[in-house]
Amino acid sequence: MTDNTPKVAVCPGSYDPVTNGHLDIITRASRTFDKVVVGVVNQPIRKKKTLFSAEERIAFIEDATSHLGNVEVQAFYTLLVEFARDNGARAIVKGLRAISDFEYENEMAQLNSKLDSEIESIYVFARPEYSFLSSTGVKEMATFNGDVSDLVPAPVAAALADRLGRS
Ligand code: PNS
């Protein structure tokens, strides 16, 4: 029997702010799944306060993905597996950059599987040119007026300079 249910994936994250590495993973997921829901966590538990509000983080991603017809962006306030279930998603898709990501992502994947074994965590290897790229690194560069223009979308680079740049 053919299963005609649309294949939906969620791409969760803090996205504070979104980088070109995140956008590469979202784009690649959008080619593999019928629909991708980017889940922007409202306030990450394991991190200090975000630089950008959830509304700002969502607007940056919406702007950068507007050309992709099957991607939508939502804030979420719940467990990730609940957010996935609410959106009819059976897959959580995340990027993996280096071995240093593995420990944290392995824990996340195991916890999510314990909470809902029907939802599969799928990891996509970051492209080499993005394997060093993180939101934290970009914020640090912007703080010291470093050039981040080829690491994040233009509106994000402008917002970072505005909020963090030292005159
Ligand atoms: O970009 P990040 O900061 O690595 O993303 C972390 C995120 C949003 C994936 C994670 O904090 C998350 O899933 N938060 C929701 C709460 C949850 O379900 N945690 C995992 C199981 S306890």
Side-chain angles (χ1 to χ4, degrees), residues 2-162:
T2 319
D3 179 5
N4 289 322
T5 324
K7 300 285 181 283
V8 183
V10 293
C11 287
S14 310
Y15 299 109
D16 186 42
V18 70
T19 68
N20 290 345
H22 292 131
L23 292 167
D24 183 54
I25 301 296
I26 293 165
T27 303
R28 289 158 67 192
S30 79
R31 293 191 196 122
T32 310
F33 288 85
D34 297 315
K35 181 177 165 187
V36 170
V37 182
V38 179
V40 176
V41 73
N42 183 44
Q43 181 55 56
I45 300 275
R46 298 188 191 215
K47 294 183 180 168
K48 52 183 200 269
K49 200 177 171 327
T50 57
L51 176 63
F52 295 104
S53 69
E55 292 73 24
E56 289 171 314
R57 287 176 280 143
I58 288 170
F60 291 141
I61 304 170
E62 280 179 342
D63 182 63
T65 59
S66 59
H67 61 291
L68 301 170
N70 62 342
V71 173
E72 67 177 54
V73 191
Q74 292 179 27
F76 76 101
Y77 306 82
T78 60
L79 281 172
L80 176 55
V81 291
E82 269 178 57
F83 177 71
R85 278 197 299 262
D86 290 348
N87 282 284
R90 300 283 292 271
I92 295 165
V93 175
K94 296 188 80 180
L96 202 60
R97 289 165 300 188
I99 288 287
S100 49
D101 280 345
F102 178 82
E103 223 168 308
Y104 168 74
E105 293 300 346
N106 185 40
E107 179 190 341
M108 282 293 164
Q110 303 297 346
L111 289 174
N112 285 324
S113 169
K114 172 125 190 64
L115 289 165
D116 190 332
S117 61
E118 298 285 302
I119 297 178
E120 201 61 60
S121 291
I122 297 175
Y123 287 88
V124 177
F125 280 107
R127 292 194 196 283
E129 60 266 40
Y130 300 130
S131 61
F132 63 92
L133 182 53
S134 70
S135 300
T136 305
V138 162
K139 283 183 280 196
E140 190 164 341
M141 287 171 75
T143 301
F144 298 100
N145 301 327
D147 181 10
V148 296
S149 57
D150 58 349
L151 304 178
V152 294
V156 175
L160 281 167
D162 194 42

